[in-house]
Amino acid sequence: MIVLGVESSCDETGVAIVKDERKILANVVASSLKLHRRYGGVVPEIASRMQLESIAGIFTEAIKIAKIRPEQIGLVAVTTHPGLPGSLMVGIAFAKALALSLGKPILGVNHIHSHVYANLLGYTNIKLPAVALVVSGGHTSLFYIKDFSKIQVIGQTRDDACGEAFDKVAKIMGLGYPGGPLIEKIAQSGNKHKIKFACSRMSNELDFSFSGIKTAVLYYLKDKKSGIKFSQDLAASFQETVVNVLVKKSLLACKRKNVTRLLIGGGVAANGVLRQKFMAEAKIAGIDYFFPDINLCMDNAAMIAGLGGYLYQRGARSDFKN
Ligand code: KG4
Ligand code: ZN
């Protein structure tokens, strides 16, 4: 079955076409990121306006790249939650109108779950059950997945999301937005052992907290000297602490759930240091770990179309009458 996916939960607008749950025929993403930079974060009103302007053109481009006719679409899958309400509404309204005009079904998809599913677009050897770590700008969660229709939350952040912490620390340091790639870049020339940071201990060991380390960076900056070397060491030390926590808790989750497969997804999964750390530590723990391609770590509609197709084939249906 050919599934058209629509993603508009934050500042990206994506339309993708995926065949048989796995094969990407087209994956077009436009971002309004540049327009948000001067504000140091996403401005919802700007994001939804840009999505409204661009979504029809992105759809046309995706159809052209996939070399299909709209009548060949068997299902329209769309992100329904979580996300910015105004942005979600643009994608949902577009998807509803499209499904109605084609006389095809429509299925709502959870954005966070689709970040995990992005792994199945690249690997054919993934078997379930597995533990999954989603680290994005708005969420940090550990899941136990027996089946994509039965996803159990086993850990989550109690305050800031991991990507949010990268973004806020970058803002405090005056680096710009989005913070993740900027921190990773300057951290390359820093000493990761220079400053000792820690993430708060949680009563559920699989939960996360990143607001404390963000505040620690703030106080550190207030107290200490400045300079390029200092910023590099600060960025490297912050990143090292966060990456260590993510790896440690993910491996602990695998141990507790007695699984040997770990799927990682979300924007922060693009981080090279995180990838290397998993490579080293997962091997020692005997865990097979998976990361999507970098472009599939970021928000995109291929993961929505893929998961939508998977769930629909297994009986999931949405009521979009209202
Ligand atoms: O998954 P995503 O594209 O959007 C959400 O669903 O939130 O994730 C965006 C987040 C941002 O917070 C961004 O700073 C972070 O992912 N990010 C990174 C890197 N690339 C993007 N964080 C750390 N290192 C990176 N290389
Ligand atoms: Zn996302």
Side-chain angles (χ1 to χ4, degrees), residues 48-93:
S48 55
R49 276 173 189 265
M50 289 308 296
Q51 283 159 331
L52 199 54
E53 275 180 32
S54 61
I55 197 159
I58 293 169
F59 163 76
T60 308
E61 201 183 328
I63 293 285
K64 208 167 145 193
I65 293 170
K67 295 193 178 71
I68 61 156
R69 284 170 288 106
E71 307 81 72
Q72 290 176 265
I73 296 166
L75 170 74
V76 179
V78 60
T79 306
T80 47
H81 64 291
L84 301 170
S87 290
L88 286 170
M89 229 185 307
V90 174
I92 294 170

Side-chain angles (χ1 to χ4, degrees), residues 7 9-12 82 111-112 115 134-139 161-168 177-185 239 265-274 294 296-300 303:
E7 155 63 34
S9 63
C10 193
D11 57 329
E12 276 90 9
H111 178 87
I112 310 297
H115 270 303
V134 175
V135 266
S136 72
H139 298 268
C162 185
E164 189 182 357
F166 270 94
D167 293 338
K168 285 180 176 170
Y177 176 84
L182 298 169
I183 290 197
E184 182 176 8
K185 193 157 177 244
Q239 180 177 257
V268 184
N271 186 285
V273 176
L274 181 71
I294 301 279
L296 293 175
C297 286
M298 307 303 172
D299 286 352
N300 67 87
M303 61 189 191

Side-chain angles (χ1 to χ4, degrees), residues 89-109:
M89 229 185 307
V90 174
I92 294 170
F94 184 83
K96 264 175 122 171
L98 182 68
L100 203 65
S101 68
L102 294 173
K104 300 293 176 176
I106 178 169
L107 189 73
V109 172

